[in-house]
Amino acid sequence: MKHSKITISKDYQIAKVDDRIFGSFIEHLGRAVYGGIYEPGHPAADENGFRRDVLQLIRDIDVPIVRYPGGNFVSGYRWEDGVGPVESRPRRLELAWATTESNTFGTNEFLRWCKQAHTEAMMAVNLGTRGADDARNLVEYCNHPGGTYYSDLRRSHGAEQPHGIKLWCLGNEMDGDWQMGHKTATEYGRAANEASKLMKWVDPSIETVLCGSSNSGMPSFGDWEATTLDLCYDKIDYVSLHQYYGCSDGDVKNFLARSVDLDNYIKTVVCVCDYIKGKRHTGKKINLSVDEWNVWFHSNGAKFEKWSEAPHILEDVYDFADALVVGLMLITLLKNCDRVKVACLAQLVNVIAPIMTENGGKAWAQTIYWPYLHASRYGRGTALQTLLETTKHDTRDYCDVGDVDALAVWSEEDETVTLFAVNRDFEEENLVSLNLKDFPGYVPAEHISMAGFDLHAVNTKDAAPVQPKTTPLPAVERPVQEFSLAPLSWNVIRLKKKA
Ligand code: AHR
């Protein structure tokens, strides 16, 4: 058995966790919308065509914000196609994913769905094939109360009250040549500056997100952020990061260390933001929106019919190893919550998603659903500097990777401390000593864990063996508590203040 030591103190805080760090993403891609959240005629559909079974799985997670409508899709999207009478909406060739878009679901349907899902919208505008004019019109359509062309158009479409969308993405992955309307950093920095300026003139209460790099391996990474930020620093509020990890080489040990890359990526973007802050002699701080993150590789190479509607694409079936990586990525986001204010697990339903559905049939939780749900439900509060002494190992791409990774969140309001921890060791249990001297009266309550599964075990519509197990813990007060983490395990250890 290995040992780790963790010390936490109320005085050593990272930051209050912004709830939006537990956000997600729905794109017009594959079956995320059609057959995912929206399927008129499904036995579980409500009067709007929203699947109630899917809504319930989403409400259980308590998703605070959902990014929409893309993704690569947004870079060719005409938002006007998706509003007004459904029968007169155009069918379009959707070039990002080579499918046909029916536009039977659009902005007002999405906002209506958000209410049912108990979530907020994070809206993206098209800065690929379109620009500042269409972006500011969409803000007027969504957020202006009335008395102007676009606000009255919204009212005529049955949405009397403004939607009040607060967070807006200035395009998507504009650094990538796969993107419709791909731009150089200078072209994009100028376009984003003007779009954000006009959008904020329409509604000064909104916040905007600049597109950072599409992943940490982009050749332009670093320069892209510095150049674009310098061109629009005063006009934007966040810079985005996107990152997916895969394990197509089967090296799970190395895969489990990928969260080290995410940590480096986040810290580098923080440095670039602060470099531009210093260079511009401004007090304004830019925070981070990790608005696409997940594991993505299982579905690579899957075929579908070109120009078909809502095909089965990017339908990764996640295994237990993926759930551990998602847990590690969540711990990494929380560790950096002084600067990461928004994050979106990409995506939410069917497309690289925690929730899967069958057209006309069941909805179920994939393996990665569980760490996401745990983090969202129990990770709200103040993230604490979690001093961790643990044994280390090397992997193919990383040195000195902790056998255990962990982060504690203290909710002063609920009087709880939650320790999220992953044991990366394939064979050995890890006995964690948690120093609680600064938390008198806090006693263990329960240990939720996922462990003991085959690394390739998956959940399907017929069988969902990969589930968390909850073990009640004896409520005995001790200055140092000991918890055992099984080999290859995701752990949520909950402590509560005695009444
Ligand atoms: O989430 C799937 C795709 O990944 C998104 O459309 C794009 O932004 C990213 O490359």
Side-chain angles (χ1 to χ4, degrees):
M1 183 192 296
K2 290 183 177 171
H3 290 84
S4 300
K5 264 172 76 176
I6 294 178
T7 306
I8 51 173
S9 160
K10 287 177 186 165
D11 290 336
Y12 297 105
Q13 306 185 351
I14 299 171
K16 181 169 181 330
V17 179
D18 190 317
D19 289 352
R20 297 173 303 171
I21 213 169
F22 306 114
S24 190
F25 175 33
I26 288 282
E27 177 168 2
H28 281 248
L29 197 187
R31 297 189 309 121
V33 173
Y34 306 108
I37 61 173
Y38 176 72
E39 193 179 347
H42 187 280
D46 66 11
E47 66 284 5
N48 297 302
F50 304 153
R51 282 186 63 157
R52 287 195 188 89
D53 50 351
V54 174
L55 279 170
Q56 193 52 52
L57 283 160
I58 294 169
R59 287 189 200 126
D60 288 349
I61 301 170
D62 194 2
V63 180
I65 196 159
V66 178
R67 183 169 173 253
Y68 173 87
N72 296 342
F73 169 82
V74 80
S75 295
Y77 187 47
R78 290 172 44 85
W79 64 265
E80 301 88 337
D81 291 348
V83 296
V86 174
E87 51 294 354
S88 39
R89 295 187 195 171
R91 290 168 61 77
R92 298 261 186 210
L93 287 184
E94 201 294 281
L95 301 187
W97 301 101
T99 56
T100 296
E101 171 58 51
S102 69
N103 282 308
T104 53
F105 187 98
T107 302
N108 293 312
E109 287 81 15
F110 178 65
L111 273 304
R112 209 174 297 136
W113 176 85
C114 282
K115 286 210 171 76
Q116 298 299 317
H118 304 167
T119 193
E120 299 279 326
M122 173 181 185
M123 193 64 92
V125 298
N126 175 353
L127 292 192
T129 60
R130 305 185 96 189
D133 195 35
D134 306 297
R136 58 105 179 210
N137 291 343
L138 180 58
V139 178
E140 182 184 324
Y141 180 89
C142 290
N143 286 9
H144 196 69
T148 63
Y149 177 77
Y150 284 109
S151 57
D152 286 344
L153 187 64
R154 181 200 69 240
R155 293 168 70 207
S156 77
H157 293 159
E160 179 58 32
Q161 295 305 319
H163 294 307
I165 301 167
K166 291 292 170 225
L167 191 57
W168 294 77
C169 302
L170 301 166
N172 178 70
E173 296 190 349
M174 301 307 303
D175 60 331
D177 61 4
W178 58 87
Q179 203 68 214
M180 287 179 261
H182 161 56
K183 293 179 174 41
T184 65
T186 306
E187 287 165 349
Y188 173 63
R190 288 287 305 133
N193 187 73
E194 292 309 303
S196 191
K197 182 172 89 182
L198 269 59
M199 291 161 75
K200 288 183 174 187
W201 280 352
V202 175
D203 181 353
S205 74
I206 66 169
E207 293 187 311
T208 56
V209 184
L210 179 77
C211 288
S213 293
S214 300
N215 60 70
S216 58
M218 292 296 287
S220 56
F221 171 52
D223 276 347
W224 173 271
E225 283 76 1
T227 305
T228 55
L229 271 171
D230 211 8
L231 288 166
C232 62
Y233 199 91
D234 298 333
K235 300 285 183 294
I236 61 107
D237 305 281
Y238 304 91
V239 63
S240 77
L241 293 79
H242 289 184
Q243 189 65 51
Y244 298 96
Y245 296 113
C247 187
S248 24
D249 58 6
D251 186 344
V252 178
K253 190 173 166 193
N254 201 51
F255 183 42
L256 291 172
R258 291 289 185 211
S259 56
V260 174
D261 177 75
L262 179 63
D263 194 56
N264 290 336
Y265 182 22
I266 291 170
K267 290 191 163 66
T268 307
V269 176
V270 167
C271 289
V272 179
C273 291
D274 292 350
Y275 157 62
I276 301 296
K277 175 172 181 268
K279 187 176 166 222
R280 296 175 68 94
H281 305 275
T282 170
K284 180 178 174 182
K285 198 203 277 180
I286 299 293
N287 284 318
L288 274 47
S289 171
V290 186
D291 46 42
E292 286 189 34
W293 69 270
N294 201 348
V295 169
W296 174 10
F297 73 106
H298 295 283
S299 63
N300 289 353
K303 300 259 182 297
F304 67 95
E305 195 192 332
K306 204 171 176 191
W307 308 129
S308 55
E309 262 183 73
H312 292 257
I313 43 178
L314 274 60
E315 297 199 358
D316 279 43
V317 176
Y318 290 113
D319 63 21
F320 177 53
D322 302 325
L324 295 175
V325 172
V326 164
L328 287 158
M329 291 178 84
L330 284 159
I331 288 174
T332 307
L333 293 170
L334 287 167
K335 276 187 186 173
N336 289 285
C337 74
D338 53 333
R339 298 302 287 270
V340 176
K341 299 297 170 189
V342 182
C344 303
L345 176 67
Q347 300 191 9
L348 188 53
V349 185
N350 287 332
V351 172
I352 44 172
I355 297 167
M356 288 296 284
T357 71
E358 187 184 27
N359 292 343
K362 290 183 185 170
W364 64 98
Q366 295 231 57
T367 60
I368 63 168
Y369 178 90
W370 295 108
Y372 178 40
L373 174 142
H374 296 147
S376 175
R377 281 213 203 151
Y378 307 125
R380 303 192 190 210
T382 300
L384 300 174
Q385 295 283 2
T386 305
L387 283 181
L388 171 62
E389 288 172 47
T390 185
T391 44
K392 304 213 159 117
H393 62 273
D394 293 342
T395 73
R396 192 191 61 215
D397 297 332
Y398 306 94
C399 293
D400 288 337
V401 180
D403 289 338
V404 167
D405 202 1
L407 187 278
V409 176
W410 170 41
S411 168
E412 191 170 9
E413 201 184 334
D414 299 343
E415 300 190 304
T416 58
V417 168
T418 302
L419 182 73
F420 298 102
V422 170
N423 181 4
R424 289 185 172 108
D425 198 291
F426 278 58
E427 271 125 37
E428 291 199 56
E429 199 180 316
N430 203 300
L431 190 67
V432 173
S433 308
L434 175 65
N435 189 323
L436 278 167
K437 284 185 200 128
D438 203 22
F439 287 90
Y442 279 73
V443 293
E446 60 185 15
H447 182 163
I448 305 168
S449 66
M450 293 175 78
F453 303 107
D454 184 290
L455 280 171
H456 300 300
V458 299
N459 292 341
T460 66
K461 73 181 165 68
D462 300 316
V466 187
Q467 301 282 334
K469 181 178 96 187
T470 302
T471 311
L473 298 174
V476 180
E477 190 174 353
R478 289 196 186 92
V480 178
Q481 298 279 356
E482 290 195 331
F483 304 103
S484 162
L485 312 183
L488 294 173
S489 59
W490 162 252
N491 303 273
V492 183
I493 295 163
R494 308 258 300 142
L495 299 108
K496 288 197 169 124
K497 192 158 184 192
K498 269 193 306 207

